[in-house]
């Protein structure tokens, strides 16, 4: 009996095939997946070439076979037929010589808050395609060239829940070693590993030399089997043809290095062919998988930042909680989140590594409000989040929008809680806090709390939650009424760490309820708990910085009975009067709103600025433009990533639209007029849309013609609009040649206008060759556009 794919991974280095898209003739249609129906023999020929080369696995021509991608070519009604035929063609070519991996690519759309699509919509899109691929006879599902970690999570969930095939999650990375939306390999592994992909890794992105660093980080971050399929270098234009520089021998040498890192599966991506596959096989087939030793660690993560629990205790900020806070309650009831945003910023500045999110209260729709608050917070800070709610619906809605790996606060020893909350944590890959209480309440002894903790841990492990993702809270009770319980809680904490081997957490601030100078008691208890091995403290991060006194310590140890001495001393302390803070200057508030992507307040602040008789043009030039420029600088420096860039740009756009209504047409100065388009045959437009948005922010008048635009249409609009600049985008090697055609036509017709080009496959060398200017990303596009316009104006004035 033949070994399964996963069984073979234990003993063999397996080799996947090479590229599909760059091996297909470019003149057969703009949708490669459509060739499964119109030219199946062409697709079969590519598959057969890889089987003949000796590939262990060939990948189907279904990468863009989801409903959203097919709709761009008008083929959504053919979805089932295209995907089914994709499997059939590959199976026929593979015979019994190779396995068939069903390729599933990204949707090409953005999730909220960056875009308009929801978790459930993406889930349905992936579920539909994956079910068809599995039913048609695929051996493996490979989620490949994934750009955003949250979209990968959804695709992985859809795959694991709708088929029983091995599932590979393969991501794509920039030269900075991060996904487009900011996740590095450690973050990606932290978020995806609890969702149980069968393999994890990277494809496309860069050449093999670029992915060596990425795979080295994966190898140290996870013990999952790993896969890598690099491009054959970055494409160049040679004599009018797209050429990938990496030779088969060059790719093979790197394949050997990948295997030495502990990678289990190697292959190749764009620009590679059967000769690359043969060379890779010759280098790795005699090798055996290298066992990697990866230390088990506890991590939470946002989309762009890790929260490690290696150095304890980690502070979890508790202040986003409406209990006893009338102003916050009122805001939440009215769907406003200014105070939530401010608290998040302050706690981050004060040292919190995780933010606890609690929005429950009278008159507040908790499930809806928690979701909205998280979408606000994720644009405000890069900290990991803890979902503090007893409401399963609220927890689930929150988990669907969180971009990283969250902590659920909490489950407990009651059967009802264990049955509902633990499966939610398992499904979404979240860590979980277990409270040591059950149907009989909170036990008075440490030993009985340990018993409940053991029950929670055993049940969590049984549903598939690893011990690294379990925190036990032995419960802090106020010393004002239950003084003897302070040390009992700490005794239980020590027992849990020793007997169960999981992380511990306490709600530190509960210790001081009902007593004066609470921060002092909180800080003292925090340091005492730290000596017992506390891993995480839910508290006001500001309290950690207070130095505990011997008097407060006596209360906690039970030596000051009834806390009488402590209360007597604290009565003599006159607390500093809290004065209302002066509201920041409207200029500062407006600037911060742009920098933070504060969509909620931007129009209100713009109105206030106008009421204070600030001139619209002055607001634009002296406040908004410097703010968005700073955002661009932070993006360049790797402080901000695509989510923050888009959020700030959209907020800037709202402010500009409002100001434009106050400005007479003739007073509106522009940087210049630019015609933007994705070239003919190319239906990718996310990058072009982001560039257009940023250009608008910086004062350009943008005429966006959309995607798949013929050169005649582009030139016609350039002439009719009297444009100062053309911006062209291409994401496919098969369409980047259209840029040259447009440049040639401009020269033929003696139209002297600069052209700015960009896109995943475009390089500076190619741009130079066709007489255009290259921009690597949206920020550089703005800079280059300004330079080109200045040069054009200078030339005219000579």
């Amino acid at each position: 009996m033949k070994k399964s794919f996963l069984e073979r991974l234990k003993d063999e280095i397996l080799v996947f095939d090479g590229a599909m898209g760059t091996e297909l003739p470019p003149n057969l249609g703009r949708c490669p997946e459509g060739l499964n129906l119109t030219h199946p023999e062409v697709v079969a020929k590519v598959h057969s070439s890889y089987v003949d080369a000796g590939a262990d696995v060939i990948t189907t021509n279904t990468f863009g076979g989801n409903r959203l991608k097919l709709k761009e070519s008008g083929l959504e009604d053919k979805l089932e037929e295209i995907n089914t035929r994709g499997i059939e063609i590959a199976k026929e070519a593979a015979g019994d010589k190779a396995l068939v991996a069903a390729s599933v690519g990204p949707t090409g759309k953005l999730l909220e808050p960056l875009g308009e699509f929801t978790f459930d919509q993406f889930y349905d899109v992936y579920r539909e395609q994956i079910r068809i691929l599995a039913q048609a006879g695929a051996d493996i599902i490979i989620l490949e060239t994934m750009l955003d970690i949250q979209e990968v999570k959804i695709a992985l969930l859809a795959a694991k829940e709708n088929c029983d095939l091995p599932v590979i999650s393969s991501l794509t990375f920039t030269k900075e070693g991060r996904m487009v939306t900011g996740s590095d390999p450690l973050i990606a592994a932290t978020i995806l590993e609890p969702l149980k992909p069968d393999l994890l890794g990277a494809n496309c992105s860069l050449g093999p030399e670029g992915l060596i660093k990425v795979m080295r980080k994966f190898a140290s971050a996870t013990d999952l089997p790993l896969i890598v399929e690099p491009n054959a270098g970055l494409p160049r234009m040679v004599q009018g043809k797209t050429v990938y520089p990496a030779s088969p021998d060059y790719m093979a040498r790197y394949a050997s290095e990948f295997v030495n890192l502990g990678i289990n599966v190697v292959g190749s991506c764009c620009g590679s062919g059967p000769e690359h596959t043969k060379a890779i096989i010759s280098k790795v087939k005699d090798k055996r998988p290298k066992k990697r030793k990866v230390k088990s660690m506890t991590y939470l993560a946002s989309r762009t930042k890790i929260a490690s629990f290696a150095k304890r205790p980690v502070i979890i900020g508790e202040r986003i909680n409406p209990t006893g806070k009338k102003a916050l309650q009122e805001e939440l009831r009215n769907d406003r989140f200014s105070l939530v945003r401010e608290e998040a910023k302050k706690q981050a500045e004060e040292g919190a590594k995780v933010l606890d999110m609690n929005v429950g209260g009278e008159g507040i729709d908790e499930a809806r409000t928690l979701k909205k608050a998280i979408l606000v917070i994720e644009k405000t800070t890069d900290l990991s989040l803890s979902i503090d709610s007893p409401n399963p619906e609220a927890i689930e809605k929150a988990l669907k929008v969180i971009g990283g790996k969250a902590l659920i606060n909490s489950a407990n020893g009651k059967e009802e809680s264990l049955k509902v909350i633990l499966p939610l944590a398992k499904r979404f890959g979240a860590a979980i806090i277990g409270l040591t209480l059950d149907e009989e309440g909170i036990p008075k002894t440490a030993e009985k709390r340990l018993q409940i903790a053991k029950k929670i841990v055993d049940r969590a492990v049984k549903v598939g939650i690893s011990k690294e993702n379990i925190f036990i809270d032995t419960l802090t009770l106020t010393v004002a009424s239950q003084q003897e319980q302070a040390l009992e809680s700490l005794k239980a904490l020590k027992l849990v760490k020793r007997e169960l081997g999981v992380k511990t957490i306490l709600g530190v601030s509960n210790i001081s309820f009902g007593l004066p100078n609470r921060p002092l008691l909180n800080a003292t208890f925090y340091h005492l708990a730290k000596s017992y091995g506390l891993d995480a403290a839910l508290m006001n991060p500001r309290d950690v910085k207070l130095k505990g006194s011997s008097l407060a310590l006596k209360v906690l140890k039970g030596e000051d009975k009834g806390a009488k001495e402590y209360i007597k001393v604290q009565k003599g302390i006159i607390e500093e009067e809290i004065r209302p803070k002066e509201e920041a200057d409207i200029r500062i508030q407006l600037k911060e709103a742009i920098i933070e992507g504060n969509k909620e307040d931007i129009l209100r602040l713009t109105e206030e600025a106008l009421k204070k008789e600030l001139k619209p043009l002055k607001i634009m030039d002296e406040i908004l433009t410097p703010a968005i420029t700073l955002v661009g600088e932070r993006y360049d420096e790797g402080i901000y990533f695509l989510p923050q860039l888009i959020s700030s740009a959209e907020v800037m756009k709202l402010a500009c639209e409002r100001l434009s209504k106050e400005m007479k047409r003739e007073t509106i100065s522009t940087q210049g007029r630019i015609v933007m388009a994705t070239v003919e045959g190319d239906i990718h437009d996310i990058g072009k849309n982001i560039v257009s948005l940023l250009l608008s922010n910086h004062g350009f008048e943008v005429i966006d013609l959309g995607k798949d635009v013929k050169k005649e249409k582009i030139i016609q609009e350039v002439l009719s609009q009297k444009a100062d600049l053309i911006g062209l985008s291409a994401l496919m090697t098969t369409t980047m040649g259209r840029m040259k055609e447009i440049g040639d036509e401009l020269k033929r017709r003696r139209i002297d206008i600069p052209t700015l080009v960009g896109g995943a496959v475009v390089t500076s060398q190619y741009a130079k060759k066709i007489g255009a200017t290259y921009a690597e990303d949206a920020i550089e596009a703005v800079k280059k556009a300004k330079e080109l316009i200045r040069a054009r104006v200078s030339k005219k004035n000579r």
Side-chain angles (χ1 to χ4, degrees):
M1 184 176 177
K2 282 188 175 183
K3 289 183 179 180
S4 70
F5 171 68
L6 296 179
E7 288 172 335
R8 290 177 64 186
L9 288 179
K10 298 173 185 177
D11 304 311
E12 303 175 51
I13 300 298
L14 299 182
V15 178
F16 268 55
D17 57 6
M20 170 60 74
T22 52
E23 289 292 288
L24 294 170
N27 60 342
L28 296 180
R30 66 179 187 174
C31 177
E33 294 76 21
L35 301 183
N36 294 343
L37 305 183
T38 60
H39 295 81
E41 73 287 350
V42 174
V43 178
K45 185 178 179 181
V46 175
H47 285 318
S48 295
S49 69
Y50 287 119
V51 174
D52 293 341
D56 296 301
V57 183
I58 59 173
T59 310
T60 60
N61 182 36
T62 55
F63 176 77
N66 65 69
R67 182 165 296 280
L68 294 177
K69 292 296 289 182
L70 291 176
K71 187 175 182 179
E72 293 174 348
S73 302
L75 293 173
E76 67 270 31
D77 292 341
K78 301 282 187 182
L79 183 147
E80 184 170 1
E81 193 177 352
I82 284 171
N83 283 282
T84 299
R85 281 297 290 141
I87 296 294
E88 291 172 350
I89 295 166
K91 295 286 277 188
E92 289 166 13
D96 60 358
K97 295 180 180 179
L99 296 172
V100 171
S103 174
V104 177
T107 61
K109 307 297 180 184
L110 293 172
L111 280 160
E112 59 180 351
L114 303 181
E116 60 186 28
F117 286 87
T118 66
F119 175 102
D120 291 331
Q121 288 172 322
F122 267 24
Y123 184 92
D124 290 343
V125 166
Y126 281 114
R127 175 175 58 187
E128 179 182 37
Q129 184 187 12
I130 288 165
R131 280 182 172 177
I132 292 168
L133 293 168
Q135 289 168 5
D139 300 306
I140 302 159
I141 300 291
I142 179 167
L143 312 171
E144 56 180 345
T145 324
M146 304 303 282
L147 304 165
D148 172 43
I149 196 67
Q150 194 170 0
E151 183 167 357
V152 191
K153 283 168 61 179
I154 297 171
L156 181 54
L157 271 175
K160 298 298 283 188
E161 293 175 353
N162 290 281
C163 75
D164 58 2
L165 300 176
V167 181
I168 300 170
S169 290
S170 185
L171 321 176
T172 190
F173 293 85
T174 66
K175 66 181 182 180
E176 289 77 23
R178 289 181 179 262
M179 299 176 73
V180 170
T181 49
S183 307
D184 65 24
L186 175 58
I187 292 169
T190 296
I191 294 169
L192 297 179
E193 191 170 28
L195 301 176
K196 310 293 185 187
D198 294 287
L199 285 90
L200 185 59
N203 76 290
C204 202
S205 317
L206 314 161
E209 67 281 3
L211 284 186
I212 277 285
K213 293 177 183 176
V214 168
M215 296 312 297
R216 187 175 288 120
K217 289 181 179 179
F218 268 131
S220 64
T222 178
D223 57 7
L224 285 170
L226 296 174
I227 180 172
V228 63
E229 298 181 278
N231 281 346
L234 294 174
R236 300 172 185 167
M237 210 69 175
V238 179
Q239 296 181 349
K241 293 183 179 180
T242 304
V243 174
Y244 284 80
S247 68
D249 286 344
Y250 181 81
M251 295 285 280
R253 286 198 300 275
Y254 270 100
S256 185
E257 286 191 45
F258 284 126
V259 171
N260 290 338
L261 285 178
I263 280 66
N264 307 76
V265 177
V266 290
S268 53
C269 203
C270 299
S272 66
E275 294 305 314
H276 293 82
T277 303
K278 279 183 186 177
I280 289 169
I281 291 169
S282 71
K283 281 286 186 182
V284 305
K285 257 314 177 182
D286 292 335
K287 295 179 180 286
R288 290 176 61 81
K290 182 179 178 181
K291 291 188 177 180
R292 306 189 311 277
K293 292 181 180 179
V294 180
K295 186 178 179 181
S296 294
M297 300 288 285
T298 295
Y299 295 118
L300 298 178
S302 67
R303 188 187 260 112
T304 59
K305 189 174 183 178
I306 279 286
S308 170
F309 288 79
K311 187 177 180 181
R312 61 174 187 80
V314 168
I315 304 302
I316 300 177
E318 68 176 0
R319 296 207 308 259
I320 300 175
N321 186 327
T323 304
K325 300 172 185 173
K326 291 183 180 180
L328 181 55
Q329 291 172 16
E330 188 63 23
E331 271 212 352
L332 294 175
R333 277 194 286 267
N334 289 286
D335 271 354
R336 290 184 54 77
F337 300 95
S338 296
L339 291 175
V340 168
R341 185 182 284 106
E342 285 304 310
E343 282 294 0
K345 287 163 55 182
K346 286 178 185 174
Q347 290 183 99
E349 291 166 1
E350 291 163 1
K353 303 301 181 187
V354 181
L355 295 178
D356 192 66
M357 300 287 293
N358 183 324
V359 300
E362 186 178 349
I364 299 171
D365 182 337
E366 186 181 13
R368 184 174 58 82
T369 305
L370 183 57
K371 173 185 172 180
K372 286 188 173 184
I374 286 168
L375 292 175
V376 167
I377 288 295
E378 289 204 320
K379 290 191 290 185
T380 304
T381 176
D382 59 4
L383 298 188
S384 300
L385 299 181
S386 168
I387 305 166
D388 189 345
S389 173
N391 181 344
E393 180 192 1
I395 293 171
E396 182 170 10
K397 284 191 174 181
L399 289 169
K400 284 181 176 180
V401 295
I402 286 177
K405 174 185 172 184
L407 176 65
I408 296 176
N409 182 12
S410 54
N412 57 57
K414 296 179 182 179
E415 276 301 314
E416 180 185 4
S417 176
L418 295 173
K419 286 179 180 178
V420 176
I421 304 300
L422 293 184
L424 277 176
K426 167 63 176 65
R427 185 185 183 216
F428 291 97
I432 186 77
I433 295 174
L435 307 181
T436 53
L437 64 86
D438 59 13
E439 288 81 359
E440 296 180 11
I442 302 172
K444 293 191 178 298
T445 67
E447 289 74 17
K448 287 189 177 178
R449 292 187 202 184
L450 174 65
Q451 289 176 11
I452 296 174
K454 186 177 186 308
K455 176 184 176 182
I456 295 169
V457 171
D458 288 346
R459 290 284 288 276
V461 170
K462 188 175 181 179
V463 302
I465 301 171
S466 69
K467 281 193 172 184
E468 291 77 26
N469 291 319
I470 302 171
F471 291 75
I472 293 295
D473 186 341
T474 53
L475 298 172
T476 307
L477 303 176
T478 176
V479 290
S481 59
Q482 301 185 63
Q483 193 172 3
E484 73 287 349
Q485 285 295 307
L487 291 180
E488 202 65 28
S489 177
L490 296 179
K491 181 181 173 185
L493 184 150
K494 185 172 278 190
L495 284 173
V496 166
K497 285 186 71 70
R498 188 181 71 200
E499 301 292 330
L500 303 180
V502 296
K503 298 297 181 187
T504 56
I505 185 170
L506 288 173
V508 169
S509 302
N510 295 336
I511 198 73
S512 62
F513 188 78
L515 291 173
N517 199 349
R518 293 188 64 189
L520 179 56
L521 267 177
N522 295 342
T524 309
F525 184 60
Y526 164 80
H527 290 292
L528 182 59
K530 185 177 177 180
S531 71
Y532 277 75
L534 182 67
D535 294 298
L538 180 63
M539 63 187 298
N540 184 338
R542 191 183 303 135
D543 291 354
V544 177
K545 298 174 183 177
L546 294 175
K547 294 179 180 179
S549 71
S550 58
L551 191 59
L553 199 57
K554 283 182 179 180
V555 174
L556 299 174
K557 288 184 173 181
E559 295 170 6
D560 177 11
K561 298 300 180 184
K564 291 177 182 178
E565 189 180 352
Y566 177 82
I567 292 170
K568 181 180 178 181
V569 171
Q570 291 302 319
K571 280 181 178 178
I573 298 174
I574 301 173
E575 295 187 7
E576 183 182 342
E577 187 173 281
I578 301 173
R579 297 176 182 174
K581 292 183 180 178
E582 289 186 16
E583 192 172 284
D585 183 279
I586 189 63
R587 295 171 179 80
I588 296 173
Q589 292 184 65
L590 258 179
K591 184 177 180 181
E592 288 181 347
I594 298 295
I595 293 168
E596 295 167 7
N598 183 352
K599 195 173 185 178
E600 177 190 19
D601 292 326
I602 188 62
L603 291 179
R604 175 180 61 80
L605 293 171
T606 305
E607 294 293 345
E608 285 184 25
L610 290 170
K611 286 176 183 177
K612 290 180 184 289
E613 299 185 357
L614 289 175
K615 298 291 184 184
L617 198 57
K618 191 170 186 177
I619 295 171
M620 191 92 76
D621 291 345
E622 297 182 10
I623 301 172
L624 303 187
T625 300
I628 199 69
T629 300
L630 179 60
V631 170
E633 291 170 359
R634 290 182 178 179
Y635 179 80
D636 277 344
E637 294 165 7
I639 299 169
Y640 276 9
F641 299 97
L642 189 61
Q644 292 93 338
L645 183 66
I646 292 176
S647 294
S648 292
E650 288 178 340
V651 169
M652 174 83 171
K653 184 179 179 183
L654 288 173
C656 291
E657 287 173 349
R658 173 64 189 91
L659 292 173
S660 67
K661 294 176 182 178
E662 303 296 321
M663 300 160 71
K664 293 180 180 179
R665 182 70 189 175
E666 59 270 21
T667 68
I668 302 175
S669 61
T670 68
Q671 291 277 358
R673 187 174 295 156
I674 179 168
V675 169
M676 294 288 295
T678 301
V679 298
E680 182 181 359
D682 203 316
I683 53 177
H684 304 88
D685 66 351
I686 289 181
K688 183 262 300 172
N689 292 345
I690 294 169
V691 172
S692 295
L693 183 59
L694 264 289
L695 287 168
S696 296
N697 287 170
H698 284 266
F700 286 90
E701 183 183 347
V702 178
I703 295 98
D704 190 343
L705 303 182
K707 57 196 174 188
D708 189 20
V709 186
K710 294 180 182 297
K711 69 180 179 186
E712 292 81 6
K713 173 70 172 173
I714 294 170
I715 293 172
Q716 178 187 334
E717 289 296 320
V718 166
L719 295 174
S720 66
Q721 298 287 344
K722 297 181 180 179
D724 301 298
L725 187 62
I726 303 172
L728 301 175
S729 174
L731 199 73
M732 301 162 64
T733 56
T734 54
T735 60
M736 62 190 278
R738 301 291 188 189
M739 293 175 168
K740 182 177 184 301
E741 292 175 11
I742 293 166
D744 290 345
E745 183 65 13
L746 290 170
K747 288 175 187 173
R748 189 187 72 78
R749 296 172 63 172
R750 296 182 180 179
I751 301 171
D752 185 15
I753 183 169
T755 304
L756 187 65
V757 299
V761 296
V762 182
T763 63
S764 56
Q765 293 93 334
Y766 176 66
K768 187 176 180 180
K769 190 176 179 96
I770 66 172
T773 299
Y774 171 70
E776 185 177 28
D777 55 36
I779 298 301
E780 189 174 54
V782 172
K783 294 176 184 175
K784 296 286 187 181
K786 289 179 179 179
E787 291 171 8
L788 290 169
I789 294 293
R790 281 197 296 268
R792 181 175 170 81
V793 171
S794 176
K795 186 177 179 182
K796 281 183 177 180
N797 292 337
R798 283 175 194 166

